[in-house]
Amino acid sequence: MLSRVAERIYWQARYLERVENTARLLNVFSNLLLDLPGRTKLGWRALVRITGTTELFATRYNIATESNLAQFLIADDCDASICSMLSMARENARTTREVMPTEAFERINDLHYYAQSAADSAAVRSARNEMLEHTIESAQQIFGMLAGAMSRDSGYTFVRMGRALERADMVTRIVDVGARKLFTHPGKGSVAPRFPEPYEGILWMSVLRSQSAYQMYRQHVRRRVNGEDVVRFLLQDEEFPRAAIHNLTTISKVLSKLPKNEEVAGLVDEARRHVMQSQVADLIEEGLTDYIDRLQIKFAAIHNAITHTWFSPRN
């Protein structure tokens, strides 16, 4: 497989997974408003932190309101928006049609044009939620088509690797922001360090729902929803497909199908140890920021090694 084809397949998978996760986050934030008293204000800026676009957002908007965030993350002409990411995924799919199922490209193309036409109504919450739910379902269907119709060769390996790395990256961003930072005190601009029950439970439930993890969490964790268990589940549960450790393990497994995988495999194993050897109770007590920062650096190193090894070889 040509390196340029492999790179486009990898990025197509990452963009599609990023689109789905961005849609999930916006949808969960909107639904949270229905569960809370009217005087409780959501800290919408947390979405900017999760997506790593704080500086870009600040160049376009002065205040992080619901309407501004919806416009920024759905329709704006920037790399962070759903419409822009779908455009890039469509272009990558268009130029790799010879190795991808035709049905998958057609569905990506349909989703791209649907998002473009629905973006103008993003300011209206009901229309926005319908658009986001359709986007989530379509992204899942596309990945299902790829799983059901692609040969298990190097092409599908780059699909799985791109999707898994994007999932691991996003779940750690969500954990980093943390449910307790999603709210501001009524009438104040500062971030609330903690809210009493039942708000804290609602916050952590929203984190789980953003990853479709609530039901599986309740099956495997018998205690009430709490921060320590949620963080442990989303980082260290080997069986849950959106957990960080599960996706790192996926990357480790699929690497065996690719040549010259030693550098990437070593970095993935290092990241796996970093996740599994952490004591979540201590992290909750001391703060997750430094820990997640180190993990994000490891993910960036994995991505850079993938790029150098297979997309733009140094030798």
Side-chain angles (χ1 to χ4, degrees), residues 28-312:
V28 166
F29 261 65
S30 296
N31 291 334
L32 260 176
L33 294 173
L34 303 176
D35 297 329
L36 299 164
R39 65 184 181 85
T40 308
K41 297 181 179 180
L42 274 171
W44 286 90
R45 189 172 292 278
L47 284 180
V48 183
R49 293 197 295 271
I50 289 173
T51 55
T53 55
T54 302
E55 294 182 3
L56 179 61
F57 181 83
T59 64
R60 294 168 177 253
Y61 300 95
N62 294 324
I63 186 169
T65 62
E66 178 181 358
S67 60
N68 287 348
L69 258 297
Q71 176 69 24
F72 178 70
L73 291 176
I74 292 177
D76 271 9
D77 182 18
C78 66
D79 291 346
S81 76
I82 287 174
C83 286
S84 293
M85 288 187 287
L86 282 173
S87 179
M88 290 183 282
R90 175 182 177 273
E91 181 61 18
N92 283 317
R94 184 188 66 80
T95 55
T96 56
R97 280 184 290 179
E98 69 275 11
V99 296
M100 306 291 288
T102 301
E103 296 84 357
F105 169 72
E106 291 173 350
R107 186 55 63 91
I108 293 171
N109 194 50
D110 290 345
L111 180 56
H112 163 72
Y113 284 112
Y114 169 81
Q116 294 287 338
S117 63
D120 291 340
S121 61
V124 181
R125 191 178 299 163
S126 59
R128 178 172 73 238
N129 288 351
E130 181 180 348
M131 179 261 189
L132 294 172
E133 288 170 3
H134 178 83
T135 299
I136 294 166
E137 292 173 2
S138 296
Q140 292 174 329
Q141 289 170 357
I142 292 165
F143 278 119
M145 289 177 181
L146 297 176
M150 285 191 74
S151 298
R152 271 34 181 183
D153 54 12
S154 56
Y156 190 62
T157 296
F158 284 109
V159 170
R160 295 189 68 190
M161 193 156 51
R163 188 187 196 191
L165 187 57
E166 187 64 36
R167 276 189 171 184
D169 178 81
M170 181 59 78
V171 77
T172 56
R173 291 177 185 275
I174 292 169
V175 168
D176 184 26
V177 171
R180 287 171 292 180
K181 296 181 181 179
L182 299 182
F183 284 84
T184 55
H185 284 297
K188 296 182 180 180
S190 60
V191 173
R194 179 180 293 273
F195 262 69
E197 291 288 355
Y199 300 126
E200 191 171 344
I202 292 172
L203 289 166
W204 285 114
M205 281 190 283
S206 75
V207 170
L208 289 170
R209 288 191 174 113
S210 73
Q211 298 296 290
S212 291
Y214 179 70
Q215 188 175 356
M216 294 301 102
Y217 171 90
R218 294 308 299 261
Q219 287 185 17
H220 294 281
V221 182
R222 300 295 181 179
R223 296 182 294 275
R224 66 178 177 82
V225 176
N226 64 87
E228 182 177 331
D229 285 337
V230 170
V231 172
R232 183 178 294 109
F233 184 76
L234 291 179
L235 291 183
Q236 297 179 335
D237 192 288
E238 286 272 14
E239 304 302 321
F240 183 64
R242 291 186 175 275
I245 191 62
H246 179 95
N247 285 286
L248 288 170
T249 300
T250 296
I251 298 172
S252 183
K253 289 178 179 178
V254 303
L255 282 173
S256 62
K257 295 182 177 293
L258 298 176
K260 301 179 181 180
N261 59 26
E262 295 80 7
E263 180 184 2
V264 178
L267 292 170
V268 173
D269 287 343
E270 182 181 337
R272 291 184 73 254
R273 289 193 299 271
H274 185 70
V275 173
M276 289 307 294
Q277 293 175 2
S278 61
Q279 300 297 317
V280 174
D282 295 339
L283 295 176
I284 292 290
E285 185 67 27
E286 299 169 3
L288 290 167
T289 301
D290 291 341
Y291 171 82
I292 295 295
D293 284 348
R294 292 194 297 272
L295 191 52
Q296 289 285 324
I297 291 171
K298 294 182 186 298
F299 290 159
I302 293 170
H303 166 73
N304 290 336
I306 291 171
T307 298
H308 295 152
T309 302
W310 292 298
F311 305 154
S312 55

